[in-house]
Amino acid sequence: MRLFAAVAPPEEALRELGVAVDRLHRLPDADALRWTGRPGWHFTLAFMGEVDEELLPELRERLGRAAHRSEPFPLRLHEGGRFGRRALWIGAAGDLDAMRMLAERADAAARRAGVAMDEHRAYHAHLTIARTRENSDLRPYVDALAGFEGRPWTVSRLVLFRSNLPGGGVRGERPRYETVEDWPLGG
């Protein structure tokens, strides 16, 4: 199974973001970007990749403990950014230290459960909204998102998602994400 731990924004935050992203679709060359699907918008905390099914019980237990040790915290969607010339994202504002700690705990839980994780990197809260295979000038999109501020909400759950990659070779087909399990934050 291809798995990752994440924070899923509530519907109202996704609607606000949807309005902003719809405006981006009107910019020149927007059709050259591969826009992520709204059902898949999330903040990845720990990407685990392919995980053997026999590791799942311990992974679930350890992620549950990580959630239990983490208190709910405020967050909001905030402005935009890019990774080089290939990925466009929305950032976060609020208690980013708590978000970083939750990401660290999710990563540690996966490692302790026996999941072979990639090299550890500093966490950067972002929600990917578009990608491109070719180098593209994403600055106009980042500029258009400069004033975007979502309403605050409380992160109250840690979610383990399964990523089902498209397999049919259909142009424009996107991964589908399904919740494996989720846990409330705090005791």
Side-chain angles (χ1 to χ4, degrees), residues 13-27:
L14 296 178
R15 275 194 297 277
E16 288 177 331
L17 178 56
V19 170
V21 170
D22 286 347
R23 279 191 233 116
L24 298 179
H25 285 249
R26 296 185 210 124
L27 292 176

Side-chain angles (χ1 to χ4, degrees), residues 73-143:
F73 58 92
L75 200 68
R76 70 181 184 278
L77 300 173
H78 172 77
E79 298 193 338
R82 63 189 169 98
F83 291 129
R85 298 172 62 88
R86 297 212 172 196
L88 179 65
W89 48 262
I90 292 292
D95 194 343
L96 296 181
D97 288 337
M99 182 102 151
R100 222 171 275 114
M101 179 59 72
L102 184 58
E104 293 285 335
R105 287 177 174 153
D107 183 89
R111 289 177 192 281
R112 289 186 184 122
V115 177
M117 301 290 286
D118 286 339
E119 183 180 318
H120 183 71
R121 296 183 213 158
Y123 182 72
H124 181 267
H126 68 283
L127 184 157
T128 303
I129 57 173
R131 292 182 180 89
T132 180
R133 285 196 170 96
E134 299 178 19
N135 286 332
S136 296
D137 185 5
L138 299 174
R139 289 176 298 180
Y141 302 96
V142 174
D143 291 346

Side-chain angles (χ1 to χ4, degrees), residues 39-61:
W41 284 346
H42 60 270
F43 288 95
T44 299
L45 298 171
F47 180 75
M48 297 164 208
E50 293 295 331
V51 175
D52 291 332
E53 194 144 349
E54 66 263 9
L55 298 178
L56 199 51
E58 184 159 352
L59 178 61
R60 284 177 153 149
E61 182 181 323

